[in-house]
């Protein structure tokens, strides 16, 4: 069974967390929702509640097969935690799937893993992505090595097809 970390913080984009979590669980994966505090109820931008399974300090990235970073305003909060950046770096360095959608690119920028990569995101942070050394493209979903990126909620079907393809290709 594949184990995936789904990061969470306040003001996540509701669909960009719930859709991937449900899709991965449908595919037989164990998904741990990981936030600053364990068993805390976090709220999406549109009010959808989600409860974290674990806290950042309870997670060893070596025990997981991939990570997902949702968009919304949560990435601006998530990237402030050294534990989050270490999780992302460790999963990336191990060649395991790192998924990011919309504003989630901010976390990958802060983790320092975008140099030389081709990615997409919400157009609002394309300059940030380029300034981090990435080539930004305006397409629904991009796979570059083990980074899978998407622009916004309407791109979720393409994003999750790509994420699952990379996850199960190992």
């Amino acid at each position: 069974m594949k184990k995936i970390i789904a990061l969470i913080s306040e003001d996540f984009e509701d669909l960009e967390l719930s859709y991937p979590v449900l899709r991965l669980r449908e595919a037989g994966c164990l998904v741990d929702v990981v936030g600053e505090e364990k068993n805390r109820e976090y709220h999406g931008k549109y009010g959808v509640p989600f409860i974290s399974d674990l806290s950042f300090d309870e997670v060893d990235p070596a025990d997981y097969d991939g990570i997902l970073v949702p968009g919304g305003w949560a990435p601006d909060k998530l990237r402030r935690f050294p534990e989050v950046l270490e999780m992302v770096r460790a999963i990336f360095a191990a060649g395991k799937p790192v998924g990011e959608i919309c504003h989630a690119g901010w976390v990958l920028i802060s983790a320092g893993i975008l140099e030389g990569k081709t990615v997409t995101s919400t157009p609002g942070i394309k300059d940030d992505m380029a300034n981090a050394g990435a080539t930004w493209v305006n397409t629904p979903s991009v796979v570059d090595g083990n980074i899978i990126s998407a622009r916004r909620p309407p791109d979720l079907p393409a994003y999750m097809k790509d994420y699952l393809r990379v996850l199960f290709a190992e």
Side-chain angles (χ1 to χ4, degrees), residues 29-111:
C29 299
L30 170 70
V31 181
D32 284 330
V33 177
V34 180
E36 184 180 5
E37 299 172 46
K38 179 180 183 172
N39 295 322
R40 176 177 164 189
E41 184 174 275
Y42 293 88
H43 297 92
K45 285 173 35 179
Y46 303 104
V48 173
F50 230 100
I51 297 174
S52 58
D53 300 304
L54 298 169
S55 65
F56 300 146
D57 59 357
E58 294 179 291
V59 172
D60 180 353
D63 295 335
Y64 289 85
D65 301 295
I67 193 166
L68 290 168
V69 187
W73 303 123
D76 190 37
K77 297 171 180 78
L78 289 166
R79 66 183 175 165
R80 301 172 195 194
F81 292 95
E83 305 94 332
V84 168
L85 301 181
E86 281 305 313
M87 274 187 256
V88 170
R89 286 184 197 116
I91 297 284
F92 173 74
K96 299 173 183 177
V98 176
E100 66 92 356
I101 184 169
C102 198
H103 285 85
W106 280 336
V107 175
L108 279 63
I109 290 168
S110 293

Side-chain angles (χ1 to χ4, degrees), residues 7 9-17 45 68-76 78 99-106 122 151 159:
L7 295 173
S9 189
E10 286 296 328
D11 299 319
F12 60 89
E13 165 55 56
D14 306 62
L15 284 173
E16 293 170 2
L17 177 68
K45 285 173 35 179
L68 290 168
V69 187
W73 303 123
D76 190 37
L78 289 166
E100 66 92 356
I101 184 169
C102 198
H103 285 85
W106 280 336
T122 178
R151 298 174 301 187
Y159 172 61

Side-chain angles (χ1 to χ4, degrees), residues 106-155:
W106 280 336
V107 175
L108 279 63
I109 290 168
S110 293
I113 64 169
L114 290 181
E115 182 72 36
K117 296 294 183 181
T118 298
V119 294
T120 194
S121 67
T122 178
I125 68 165
K126 73 178 184 177
D127 292 343
D128 300 333
M129 303 289 268
N131 288 333
T135 299
W136 187 88
V137 295
N138 188 17
T139 190
S141 181
V142 176
V143 176
D144 187 341
N146 59 327
I147 295 178
I148 305 93
S149 57
R151 298 174 301 187
R152 57 187 185 263
D155 301 329

